[in-house]
Amino acid sequence: MDQNLRALLLLLLVQLPASFHCTDAPSGDDGGWGLDSSMEDEGECNIEIRDVKSITHTEFIKEYAYAKPVILRGLTDNTKFRFLCSKSNLVREYGEKTVRLSTANTHSYRKVDVRFEEFVKFLLTPQSEDTLGSDTLYFFGDNNFTEWHSLFEEYKAPPFSLPLMHPAYSFGIAGPGTGVPFHWHGPGYSEVLYGRKRWFLYPPDEAPEFHPNHTTLSWVSLSYPNLELHQRPLECTIRPGEVLFFPDRWWHATLNLDTSVFISTFLG
């Protein structure tokens, strides 16, 4: 392990902040990822939730694809993929593989390559509120699709496609309190395999105020409480079996309430 990575490990092995504590809120199999440092989910959900049996592809295109986010339940059955994403299985199959981590600031300036097993053992830790995004290493995207192909080919992507767009996957694992700050890009889906992930979204013409090197946890703790009612975002927590769709150019930030395993399908 080189000197720079050792320094990062020491920096990231912080004490749990007061907002972290044991909770039994999440239920079901945790895949071995553990929920002992989970955060409470005290927020509301003001995003529409639709059961896949209650909506057709045509209705999805008309009501949501170009207009607003929606949470879809029962969209696909990824039971097998979820099993393959358990901690023991991923460490066994990919522990010696190199993964590329990005800093969790808006522009993700820095990349660090580590063995997947090192990431799981040393860097998959809870986020402290005062930790800067540039000091937080986040595993999301930058996957070597040759090495991870056998895993991704088992994933059943959301079937509601958009005209003239093709899917690209980004797989991630993150500790409680981590997340990406506000940013925007093309449309896509996000599915949680283990844990809970809270989302905050604004329309393209309502850019939120945020510091590009402050984490989502910091924004939730310090900025969110001061927002007027009309300034508050669309928000909700997605759980295993739920898929969030977000349209093109919508601002969004995420906050992992547990150690979370997730996959996004970007459409472009």
Side-chain angles (χ1 to χ4, degrees):
M1 186 181 300
D2 63 35
Q3 190 172 15
N4 290 335
L5 179 56
R6 188 180 300 277
L8 282 169
L9 293 178
L10 292 175
L11 178 65
L12 292 168
L13 292 174
V14 296
Q15 291 184 335
L16 298 185
S19 57
F20 289 93
H21 59 279
C22 296
T23 174
D24 58 2
S27 60
D29 177 26
D30 67 3
W33 295 104
L35 301 173
D36 56 326
S37 298
S38 297
M39 301 177 66
E40 276 189 348
D41 183 3
E42 299 177 348
E44 62 173 326
C45 179
N46 55 14
I47 299 176
E48 291 183 38
I49 301 175
R50 299 289 299 269
D51 186 284
V52 70
K53 295 179 181 178
S54 71
I55 183 173
T56 65
H57 192 182
T58 300
E59 290 171 330
F60 168 78
I61 295 293
K62 181 179 179 180
E63 296 182 33
Y64 303 105
Y66 307 103
K68 57 185 176 181
V70 63
I71 294 173
L72 300 165
R73 290 177 174 166
L75 200 59
T76 55
D77 181 2
N78 275 305
T79 302
K80 180 178 180 180
F81 183 73
R82 188 170 185 265
F83 171 78
L84 294 174
C85 291
S86 66
K87 183 177 180 179
S88 59
N89 187 72
L90 287 184
V91 171
R92 180 176 62 252
E93 296 294 327
Y94 303 100
E96 296 301 318
K97 306 295 185 184
T98 297
V99 294
R100 174 157 292 179
L101 311 179
S102 302
T103 51
N105 48 339
T106 293
H107 305 293
S108 295
Y109 289 116
R110 188 161 53 89
K111 307 286 186 180
V112 176
D113 291 339
V114 299
R115 288 192 308 115
F116 179 69
E117 187 173 19
E118 286 183 355
F119 165 71
V120 171
K121 286 185 176 180
F122 301 113
L123 298 177
L124 195 58
T125 55
Q127 173 81 49
S128 173
E129 183 181 305
D130 58 359
T131 302
L132 294 176
S134 57
D135 295 327
T136 304
L137 294 176
Y138 201 74
F139 175 42
F140 179 58
D142 288 317
N143 310 120
N144 184 320
F145 279 83
T146 300
E147 294 181 338
W148 293 73
H149 175 72
S150 61
L151 176 67
F152 295 139
E153 69 178 0
E154 297 295 340
Y155 179 62
K156 296 180 181 178
F160 289 170
S161 59
L162 271 61
L164 304 178
M165 290 193 173
H166 303 282
Y169 301 145
S170 282
F171 180 71
I173 305 172
T178 62
V180 291
F182 282 105
H183 63 288
W184 61 267
H185 44 68
Y189 293 94
S190 179
E191 180 170 358
V192 172
L193 286 310
Y194 293 105
R196 300 165 298 155
K197 180 185 287 287
R198 188 155 189 83
W199 280 73
F200 306 91
L201 303 105
Y202 286 95
D205 58 352
E206 296 181 21
E209 292 187 9
F210 66 98
H211 190 290
N213 199 28
H214 288 179
T215 62
T216 303
L217 180 59
S218 175
W219 181 84
V220 168
S221 300
L222 303 178
S223 299
Y224 182 95
N226 298 318
L227 296 177
E228 299 290 340
L229 188 60
H230 70 278
Q231 296 175 313
R232 293 192 174 182
L234 288 178
E235 57 184 298
C236 200
T237 297
I238 61 171
R239 295 169 169 80
E242 298 178 332
V243 177
L244 172 77
F245 169 80
F246 52 90
D248 186 28
R249 296 187 299 117
W250 272 65
W251 291 92
H252 55 278
T254 61
L255 177 64
N256 297 292
L257 302 179
D258 312 305
T259 296
S260 301
V261 182
F262 47 94
I263 187 168
S264 291
T265 303
F266 296 117
L267 303 174

